[in-house]
């Protein structure tokens, strides 16, 4: 089992996924990887922000518990990236996760991911549509078949500093997590 939630997400990101994202949006593999990381950590940052709301965490845990990992889950990466109506159960679940975490503020998060990574808003939106089901799958893999709100809170609390450190600085600020990554915050303050 992966050591952290970030490791679990990274373990799901195959080279084929990255290449598909890069070719779909006309960006480099490195930029696609960066955007996927920013979208994933932004989702986790949103979860951290919700971590005191056990009702919402319960809904997210139930959503993660509904994931049934198999080889076909991410078979249509190109379809996930191009948006439109969800074409698979995992994509629908990812959309529900975005709604639970961000509500009507999903567009602001996508804009922040685009600004933090230098990809277009369209690329950030498409890559976030891929990141959301990846985060859910990683949560299911880390928490088992019957995740609970308490288990999810514990997982988020354990990885809080790692999540904050992995986020681009602009996203860290957006979620109020600057004190969680002191080395990064110090470097930003020194550069100013």
């Amino acid at each position: 089992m992966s050591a952290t939630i970030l490791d679990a997400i990274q373990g799901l990101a195959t080279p084929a996924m990255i290449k598909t994202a890069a070719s779909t949006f006309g960006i480099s593999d490195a930029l696609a990887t960066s955007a996927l990381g920013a979208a994933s950590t932004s989702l986790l940052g949103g979860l951290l922000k919700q971590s005191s709301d056990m009702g919402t965490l319960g809904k997210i845990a139930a959503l993660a518990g509904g994931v049934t990992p198999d080889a076909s889950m991410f078979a249509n990466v190109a379809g996930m990236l191009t948006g439109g109506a969800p074409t698979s159960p995992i994509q629908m679940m990812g959309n529900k996760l975005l709604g639970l975490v961000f509500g009507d503020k999903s567009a602001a998060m996508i804009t922040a991911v685009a600004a933090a990574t230098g990809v277009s808003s369209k690329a950030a939106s498409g890559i976030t549509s891929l990141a959301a089901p990846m985060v859910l799958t990683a949560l299911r893999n880390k928490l088992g078949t019957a995740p609970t709100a308490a288990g999810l809170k514990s997982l988020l609390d354990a990885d809080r500093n790692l999540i904050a450190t992995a986020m681009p600085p602009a996203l860290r600020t957006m979620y109020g997590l600057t004190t969680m990554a002191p080395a990064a915050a110090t470097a930003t303050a020194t550069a100013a």
Side-chain angles (χ1 to χ4, degrees), residues 1 38 41 52 54 68 73-74 78 83-84 86 98 100 116-117 120 147 168 183 186 191:
M1 185 180 281
T41 56
S52 61
M54 295 305 278
T68 51
M73 235 179 8
F74 293 102
L98 286 168
L100 284 169
T117 59
S120 68
T186 303

Side-chain angles (χ1 to χ4, degrees), residues 48-132:
L48 284 171
K49 220 170 166 159
Q50 300 274 359
S51 64
S52 61
D53 182 345
M54 295 305 278
T56 298
L57 289 186
K59 290 175 185 175
I60 293 166
L63 198 55
V67 173
T68 51
D70 65 32
S72 68
M73 235 179 8
F74 293 102
N76 186 15
V77 171
M80 288 180 172
L81 291 167
T82 54
T87 58
S88 67
I90 191 69
Q91 191 177 3
M92 288 182 236
M93 293 171 126
N95 286 353
K96 285 182 186 173
L97 175 65
L98 286 168
L100 284 169
V101 175
F102 298 108
D104 62 357
K105 294 181 175 50
S106 292
M109 182 276 277
I110 289 166
T111 299
V113 168
T117 59
V119 300
S120 68
S121 292
K122 182 177 180 180
S125 178
I127 289 172
T128 298
S129 293
L130 176 60

